[in-house]
Amino acid sequence: MTLSHTSQVSSRSCLAIVLAAGEGTRMKSAKPKVLHQVANRSMLGHVLATLTQAGATSTAVVIGPDRDDVAKEVQKVSAQARIFVQTDRLGTAHAVLSAREALAQPGDDVIIAFGDTPLILSDTFIKLRSPLAEGAAVVAMGFEAKDPTGYGRFITSGNELLAIREHRDASEDERAITLCNGGLMAIRGDLALPLLDRVQNKNAKGEYYLTDIVEIARSLGHRTAIAVVSEEEVHGVNDRAQLAAAERMIQNRLRQAAMASGVTLIAPETVFFSHDTRLGQDVVVEPHVVFGPGVVVEEGAIIHSFSHLEGARIASGAGVGPFARLRPGAMIGPKAKVGNFVEIKNTDLGAGAKVSHLTYLGDASVGAEANIGAGTITCNYDGFGKYRTEIGEGAFIGSNSSLVAPIAIGKGAFVGSGSVITDNVPDNALGLGRGRQTIKEGWAIGFREKAQAANKK
Ligand code: UD1
Ligand code: CA
């Protein structure tokens, strides 16, 4: 992508139309296809976010009837997008025309994208639009297919795109062509409606094909163009195996991007990211770590093996895991340490604080340099409400203690191990809440004598 392309494109307004009315029968799912996720975001969400990055100035999404769930996802990712319903599925051109009201004010460019093609990059949309700035009426996105079966074929003459022939309508000779239609198209705004309105359904499927606008544009004396992308980028998802393939490709991209930005991944193929994972420089991620949505890891922190993190922020120099689980609202302070078999939710862990083993902290705040002993549990829930635990700076919680919230442990205070703490512990005090130990001297001797005598009988 040259700079001149980008700047030529960025001065033009652009309506993006996303087709998302498919049933996705082959997914065998109660959920509509476009809501299935890759890297923790719906496929439709990926496409919408990419279109925004690519400079779409308005967006229309075509969905199937009674799809409130899809409409809700559109609003979540792209609040200004307009939603249109395609009642009968009569083909891709018919689907685009469902957004007729939006097409009436198209802006300079119109781009068409599919909601089930989540790997498209924003640069590709820009590449697709740039021939429009140079006078083309229609640009189609092509790729060299390893196996072209099922795709529309590009009928070309030199660099000219003459037509796109759908597989079912193609002759033997045309089926030998491997340059295929990726599905994305860009249309000069003022021509979009006139071209689409001319599409007919005289073909093998009896559908209104978007691809027919190439031939129509040429018959009206307009110029058409081709933009070429990798097969990976136009990978469409129709079944669960293709969904897994899309996940694999997007994870590879996220891993490459993390390493390129200065993150060490010891075994990148075993680490799974979310689309929004943010990692600072010199973060180290050991093998087998899973990042759910909304995780930020600052410079130099280390995430040890087998940890699962979501909605968490890990400050610089902190250590997490192995085998740690950070849930939403876990805020791990600078140089704090979270060890093995520790679960943390909605909790602020202060700088340098240590929670080294076998602990649950929920709805708590822990002051700097506090030490939370093994087996500590915040009892934050009584079946009805959630309650907070406040632990002061430098406090020391003895192992195997239950802190029954709401509760406050003061700065520098101690809690004796094995305590069940139900009353606040003031600063610098010792809180003990356990049965007092008693000693019975020589008790074992008497016990053994009695037991042995009983056994001889
Ligand atoms: C389409 C292209 C084909 C291209 C292929 C790339 C046409 C006519 N053909 O074929 O050239 O090689 O994509 O994957 O465009 N949709 C609707 N409403 C409809 C019909 C389709 O919303 O009435 C949506 C689908 O949900 C899907 C997209 O449009 O997201 C493409 O439709 P699909 O039927 O999968 O087209 P293909 O036959 O794969
Ligand atoms: Ca398809």
Side-chain angles (χ1 to χ4, degrees):
M1 180 82 282
T2 63
L3 270 178
S4 69
H5 278 166
T6 314
S7 56
Q8 254 178 317
V9 165
S10 61
S11 63
R12 295 168 66 91
S13 61
C14 175
L15 164 68
I17 300 182
V18 183
L19 304 191
E23 297 277 305
T25 352
R26 278 182 283 161
M27 295 295 282
K28 303 219 168 71
S29 175
K31 192 158 74 172
K33 177 165 77 174
V34 292
L35 294 192
H36 283 263
Q37 298 195 331
V38 289
N40 286 309
R41 176 153 71 182
S42 71
M43 294 196 276
L44 181 57
H46 280 280
V47 175
L48 290 171
T50 307
L51 283 167
T52 306
Q53 265 179 47
T57 39
S58 59
T59 306
V61 185
V62 178
I63 69 173
D66 305 316
R67 286 269 64 126
D68 292 347
D69 42 6
V70 180
K72 228 169 115 187
E73 175 72 359
V74 173
Q75 273 149 11
K76 197 176 105 190
V77 185
S78 192
Q80 85 302 340
R82 297 171 71 184
I83 293 165
F84 297 90
V85 175
Q86 184 191 23
T87 321
D88 308 301
R89 291 188 88 240
L90 303 180
T92 43
H94 180 263
V96 176
L97 280 169
S98 307
R100 184 178 287 277
E101 270 174 63
L103 283 163
Q105 282 141 7
D108 297 321
D109 302 344
V110 172
I111 44 182
I112 317 287
F114 294 167
D116 61 359
T117 309
L119 295 161
I120 286 290
L121 296 168
S122 62
D123 276 357
T124 300
F125 282 121
I126 293 167
K127 195 158 132 189
L128 186 70
R129 289 171 62 196
S130 62
L132 298 182
E134 290 149 16
V138 175
V139 192
M141 180 58 77
F143 68 100
E144 277 297 334
K146 277 186 222 89
D147 174 10
T149 312
Y151 292 113
R153 309 297 207 284
F154 276 7
I155 315 291
T156 53
S157 161
N159 289 331
E160 297 274 290
L161 177 62
L162 306 179
I164 302 174
R165 193 82 69 236
E166 288 308 300
H167 182 88
R168 289 208 209 186
D169 304 298
S171 67
E172 272 310 302
D173 283 355
E174 288 170 338
R175 283 186 184 181
I177 297 170
T178 51
L179 184 60
C180 291
N181 179 25
L184 304 168
M185 279 210 177
I187 316 169
R188 213 175 82 193
D190 59 335
L191 289 175
L193 264 184
L195 292 176
L196 286 159
D197 275 331
R198 282 182 167 80
V199 173
Q200 297 187 333
N201 64 349
K202 291 178 196 132
N203 51 53
K205 263 172 127 180
E207 284 192 355
Y208 296 87
Y209 289 162
L210 170 63
T211 43
D212 281 357
I213 65 170
V214 172
E215 253 176 309
I216 297 169
R218 291 190 63 88
S219 73
L220 296 172
H222 296 294
R223 201 157 64 72
T224 57
I226 302 174
V228 178
V229 272
S230 69
E231 183 160 12
E232 169 182 315
E233 258 197 83
V234 289
H235 172 81
V237 173
N238 300 299
D239 58 31
R240 307 269 181 162
Q242 288 170 339
L243 183 68
E247 182 74 47
R248 204 153 52 231
M249 294 186 237
I250 210 153
Q251 288 299 337
N252 278 334
R253 276 189 195 167
L254 293 167
R255 292 164 187 151
Q256 294 304 323
M259 291 187 284
S261 73
V263 172
T264 294
L265 303 179
I266 294 168
E269 66 283 5
T270 67
V271 175
F272 291 83
F273 292 112
S274 271
H275 68 97
D276 61 353
T277 306
R278 278 162 49 204
L279 305 169
Q281 212 173 21
D282 291 318
V283 164
V284 175
V285 184
E286 291 186 350
H288 301 288
V289 172
V290 175
F291 291 89
V295 176
V296 178
V297 185
E298 292 174 1
E299 299 76 58
I302 177 159
I303 314 298
H304 298 283
S305 290
F306 305 108
S307 295
H308 188 285
L309 295 72
E310 62 183 310
R313 175 179 279 273
I314 295 104
S316 62
V320 171
F323 297 100
R325 178 166 184 214
L326 301 186
R327 291 170 51 204
M331 309 290 273
I332 311 304
K335 299 200 171 135
K337 183 174 183 302
V338 177
N340 48 275
F341 307 109
V342 171
E343 175 179 340
I344 298 185
K345 181 212 76 169
N346 192 26
T347 289
D348 243 305
L349 191 64
K354 291 192 183 70
V355 195
S356 296
H357 354 249
L358 301 157
T359 289
Y360 172 60
L361 296 179
D363 305 308
S365 78
V366 177
E369 303 295 333
N371 187 91
I372 312 297
T376 299
I377 305 289
T378 53
C379 309
N380 59 326
Y381 184 52
D382 60 6
F384 296 93
K386 298 272 169 71
Y387 306 96
R388 292 198 60 81
T389 299
E390 313 285 343
I391 299 172
E393 273 174 42
F396 187 99
I397 311 298
S399 296
N400 206 31
S401 295
S402 302
L403 308 176
V404 182
I407 194 93
I409 314 295
K411 288 182 194 164
F414 275 68
V415 166
S417 64
S419 289
V420 176
I421 298 294
T422 53
D423 293 323
N424 292 347
V425 180
D427 291 358
N428 297 314
L430 168 67
L432 273 177
R434 64 187 183 209
R436 189 169 275 280
Q437 180 174 331
T438 57
I439 298 289
K440 297 183 179 177
E441 290 288 352
W443 177 90
I445 299 166
F447 170 76
R448 273 194 296 271
E449 281 170 356
K450 257 194 250 164
Q452 278 160 0
N455 263 355
K456 276 180 193 152
K457 277 186 191 163

